[in-house]
Amino acid sequence: MVGQFGSFLSSLVTWAIVVFLIYITLFYGLRLFFRRREREIAIVALNVSQVPLLTILILSALKISMLSFGNAQFIPLFEKVLSALIVAAASYWSAQLFTQVIAYYLKKYAQNTEAMWDDVLVPLLETTLPLLIYIIGGFLFLQSLGLDLTGLWVAFGGATFVLGFALKDILANFFSGLVLLIDTPFQFGDVISLSDGSVAVIKKIGVRLTKLLLIDTNCEIYIPNGSLESQKIINLSRPAPHYCYSLSVPLRVDVELGQAISILKEVVLAHPDTLGNIDCKLQVMDNYYKFEKETEFDERRRLKKETGRERLLAEKKVNKILEEINQKLRDLSEKIKILEKDGLDIEERRNIQNNYLDIIKEIGLEVVGDRQGKRRLFTIKELAEEDTLINSVRTWYKTWLKDPDLTEEDPDNLQEEWERKIELLKLRVDKLYQNISQHKVDERKLDDYVLELANWLNERFKSPQPLSQAPKIWMEKIKENMTQQVASVEYIVRFFVDNIKLEQCQRGYRVKSEVQGEVIRQLRQSYLYR
């Protein structure tokens, strides 16, 4: 027995030295290596693994050393206990690795994608997967102690079947939620119109319910995913958060048509928050803000005019740069389409790459090479130059933040929205650069990749304002007032508001009210309003 104990101590000391060397190598040597390489995820994984992995190594060393006692009576019990503790430590380690490392970086990845399903699926996995790991670990823990789990597994399977049958509606809503996430008819923050005519904002898509905020009543409503999936939904935020409003304006029947339409159109264009040709809006804006007295209301309107003009000028610059970049991308796509017919040689590919680098610079990015061993990696970084797309967009949305009508949460929402778009732009620019640079990529698809970026800039980054979104005025019908024996002509004024998500989704109502009030004021001054 004394010899066995001495052998046990000798084995334990040997394994202690091995564990110590492994510990030093992993948690000091590798940590230093990853810090030099700036591998943040690896460092976090090492920090999370330090205690549980050390525990597993110590328990494993102790279990192996116990073999020195041979067939002693107490050995099987100790081995079972040590095995169970190793399983418990491994389960804890796996759960912590997922929640603190994998789930964390999956969230960061989800923030940089346009898809919505990963924004919901990652938190769902973060909640359910650790629980599943602990359940499986619990079964293995009991099994390691030598307990017969056959009956428990049967009971667990039966309970699962019963629960599945009892919770079929919940499961149906769960899978409906997954369908909504995959199809992505809307995303968080979108304004939608439900089948009953209610207008609401998407706040959250959960496992079973979708949380909405009703705009008119400022109340939350929870709709089962199955019911929401079967409804006819109108997404008012797509393809852009511009929404159309209409006004009915009655005028005397003897009013000159051209004069009336000119006044109505000028009033709509002059409002900073409506859409239209920016040059026209800047020209007529002064007519909209006429200050007779220096009142607090007039001062606010003056501030609105100044910030509106500044925002429109900044947007005009963004539109100009976007138009130039878009045209250059389409020209590059056509060039590649012609060259790829006979196959791209090294010189042609280098020429295409240089053309694309010029476009990247105009976007506000540059390609930086970093040599790591024998490999040379290229990354995209921002330029400090001002006259670039990214810097112009930042200037534009920052001038928007000065709008006196914005609510407290609007500045954060605007900044988050546009910074996310900028990050997505960087990812797409980088992806296209990698495709152009790599010879393994099918060169027959390069023109499609370039065109895809151009289309994304127009459709998802910042869409141009088409003529269809300019103010429209037309004569609807003639109404007769039998009491006063007079007739009036009803004019319809249709216009778009720039972003209905702002001001707690009340921006459109405010703009419509202000436009209607200014229409009446201008028409009365011209003696045209009844």
Side-chain angles (χ1 to χ4, degrees):
M1 186 68 180
V2 175
Q4 290 178 338
F5 186 74
S7 177
F8 166 74
L9 289 178
S10 175
S11 176
L12 190 61
V13 170
T14 302
W15 279 107
I17 294 172
V18 172
V19 169
F20 177 76
L21 292 175
I22 293 174
Y23 181 83
I24 294 297
T25 302
L26 287 178
F27 300 108
Y28 287 92
L30 277 181
R31 183 181 279 115
L32 183 61
F33 173 78
F34 288 137
R35 279 179 178 169
R36 289 179 178 177
R37 297 282 181 170
E38 297 183 354
R39 303 291 186 181
E40 183 184 1
I41 185 171
I43 296 174
V44 175
L46 283 175
N47 293 337
V48 171
S49 304
Q50 189 165 353
V51 174
L53 185 57
L54 179 61
T55 303
I56 292 173
L57 289 174
I58 292 174
L59 291 173
S60 300
L62 188 59
K63 182 179 178 181
I64 295 173
S65 300
M66 293 289 290
L67 297 176
S68 303
F69 289 104
N71 296 324
Q73 189 174 2
F74 62 89
I75 293 300
L77 177 61
F78 272 98
E79 285 186 344
K80 289 179 181 179
V81 172
L82 290 173
S83 297
L85 292 175
I86 290 173
V87 169
S91 300
Y92 174 79
W93 183 26
S94 302
Q96 292 300 306
L97 271 178
F98 181 80
T99 54
Q100 297 190 36
V101 181
I102 299 175
Y104 174 76
Y105 285 95
L106 282 176
K107 283 182 180 179
K108 292 183 69 174
Y109 170 78
Q111 291 174 355
N112 293 325
T113 62
E114 297 173 82
M116 190 179 65
W117 61 268
D118 50 11
D119 294 327
V120 177
L121 191 59
V122 171
L124 182 62
L125 290 176
E126 186 181 15
T127 304
T128 57
L129 200 57
L131 180 61
L132 185 61
I133 291 173
Y134 284 128
I135 290 175
I136 295 174
F139 276 106
L140 294 176
F141 178 84
L142 295 175
Q143 195 171 30
S144 299
L145 291 175
L147 299 178
D148 186 7
L149 302 181
T150 305
L152 191 59
W153 281 111
V154 172
F156 181 75
T160 303
F161 175 78
V162 172
L163 284 174
F165 183 77
L167 303 176
K168 60 180 181 179
D169 291 336
I170 295 178
L171 292 175
N173 288 321
F174 170 75
F175 287 110
S176 296
L178 291 181
V179 171
L180 288 174
L181 293 173
I182 294 172
D183 288 344
T184 60
F186 41 72
Q187 60 186 14
F188 301 134
D190 278 0
V191 183
I192 64 171
S193 177
L194 301 175
S195 57
D196 62 355
S198 302
V199 179
V201 182
I202 301 291
K203 288 297 183 180
K204 180 182 178 182
I205 298 180
V207 177
R208 189 175 68 89
L209 299 171
T210 295
K211 177 181 174 182
L212 306 173
L213 177 67
L214 294 176
I215 294 177
D216 291 337
T217 59
N218 197 32
C219 296
E220 291 181 352
I221 180 174
Y222 298 85
I223 301 178
N225 292 331
S227 301
L228 190 63
E229 184 193 10
S230 61
Q231 286 192 39
K232 178 183 177 181
I233 297 174
I234 301 175
N235 193 335
L236 306 179
S237 302
R238 292 193 184 183
H242 311 147
Y243 189 62
C244 180
Y245 290 86
S246 297
L247 294 175
S248 175
V249 182
L251 298 178
R252 296 198 314 266
V253 73
D254 59 341
V255 169
E256 201 275 319
L257 180 63
Q259 182 185 10
I261 291 179
S262 176
I263 292 175
L264 294 174
K265 187 174 182 179
E266 181 177 314
V267 169
V268 174
L269 280 174
H271 197 291
D273 301 333
T274 60
L275 298 185
N277 182 276
I278 293 180
D279 290 327
C280 294
K281 288 179 67 67
L282 291 171
Q283 288 177 6
V284 300
M285 189 173 288
D286 289 333
N287 294 331
Y288 180 64
Y289 295 95
K290 293 182 179 179
F291 310 104
E292 299 175 358
K293 299 179 181 179
E294 287 297 328
T295 64
E296 182 178 349
F297 177 70
D298 288 334
E299 183 61 31
R300 185 179 177 281
R301 295 180 74 198
R302 190 189 303 278
L303 177 62
K304 181 72 177 181
K305 171 188 173 181
E306 293 172 355
T307 56
R309 178 179 290 277
E310 186 180 358
R311 188 181 79 228
L312 288 171
L313 289 171
E315 184 179 6
K316 182 180 178 181
K317 183 178 180 180
V318 171
N319 290 344
K320 181 181 178 182
I321 298 176
L322 259 177
E323 185 179 353
E324 292 174 355
I325 292 174
N326 200 282
Q327 187 58 50
K328 289 181 179 179
L329 285 171
R330 295 184 185 279
D331 292 342
L332 181 59
S333 177
E334 288 297 322
K335 179 179 180 179
I336 296 173
K337 193 173 184 179
I338 295 172
L339 293 175
E340 69 185 9
K341 292 180 180 179
D342 300 324
L344 297 176
D345 56 32
I346 297 177
E347 187 63 31
E348 289 173 339
R349 187 177 284 271
R350 186 179 293 114
N351 183 259
I352 292 171
Q353 191 177 37
N354 290 333
N355 289 342
Y356 184 58
L357 286 173
D358 292 336
I359 297 174
I360 289 178
K361 187 175 181 181
E362 194 168 351
I363 291 174
L365 302 170
E366 63 177 343
V367 179
V368 179
D370 181 25
R371 184 169 295 280
Q372 295 186 1
K374 296 182 179 180
R375 298 178 60 191
R376 185 171 178 82
L377 301 178
F378 294 94
T379 56
I380 297 290
K381 293 187 177 180
E382 285 191 36
L383 288 171
E385 299 179 12
E386 293 184 2
D387 294 330
T388 62
L389 176 62
I390 291 178
N391 285 331
S392 298
V393 167
R394 286 201 174 107
T395 302
W396 171 49
Y397 83 68
K398 286 177 181 177
T399 59
W400 207 335
L401 304 184
K402 301 176 185 178
D403 189 337
D405 290 310
L406 296 185
T407 56
E408 292 181 358
E409 64 269 18
D410 285 336
D412 292 336
N413 292 338
L414 271 174
Q415 183 171 354
E416 180 182 352
E417 176 187 356
W418 282 103
E419 288 300 329
R420 185 170 183 268
K421 285 187 176 183
I422 289 172
E423 290 302 318
L424 290 173
L425 174 60
K426 292 179 184 178
L427 291 174
R428 285 184 171 269
V429 168
D430 182 47
K431 182 179 178 181
L432 180 55
Y433 179 78
Q434 300 299 334
N435 288 335
I436 291 176
S437 303
Q438 294 175 5
H439 296 279
K440 296 180 181 179
V441 176
D442 188 356
E443 58 190 28
R444 292 170 297 180
K445 295 182 179 180
L446 283 181
D447 59 323
D448 296 328
Y449 294 148
V450 175
L451 195 60
E452 183 180 331
L453 177 59
N455 291 333
W456 182 84
L457 283 170
N458 269 347
E459 296 171 4
R460 303 304 298 270
F461 187 75
K462 186 184 185 302
S463 59
Q465 295 176 8
L467 294 176
S468 60
Q469 293 183 348
K472 298 287 191 303
I473 296 101
W474 65 88
M475 185 174 64
E476 180 74 5
K477 57 186 175 181
I478 298 177
K479 289 184 176 181
E480 292 189 11
N481 190 324
M482 302 304 296
T483 304
Q484 301 179 2
Q485 294 183 347
V486 293
S488 62
V489 179
E490 183 178 353
Y491 288 83
I492 302 298
V493 182
R494 193 191 73 167
F495 58 91
F496 283 82
V497 175
D498 53 9
N499 192 333
I500 60 171
K501 293 183 180 181
L502 299 177
E503 303 173 35
Q504 297 179 339
C505 300
Q506 301 290 327
R507 188 177 182 87
Y509 300 132
R510 175 188 60 79
V511 173
K512 180 179 179 180
S513 175
E514 291 177 353
V515 169
Q516 190 167 24
E518 186 65 16
V519 163
I520 294 173
R521 189 177 76 86
Q522 293 282 356
L523 291 175
R524 279 178 174 169
Q525 288 182 353
S526 303
Y527 303 101
L528 301 179
Y529 188 73
R530 291 193 62 83

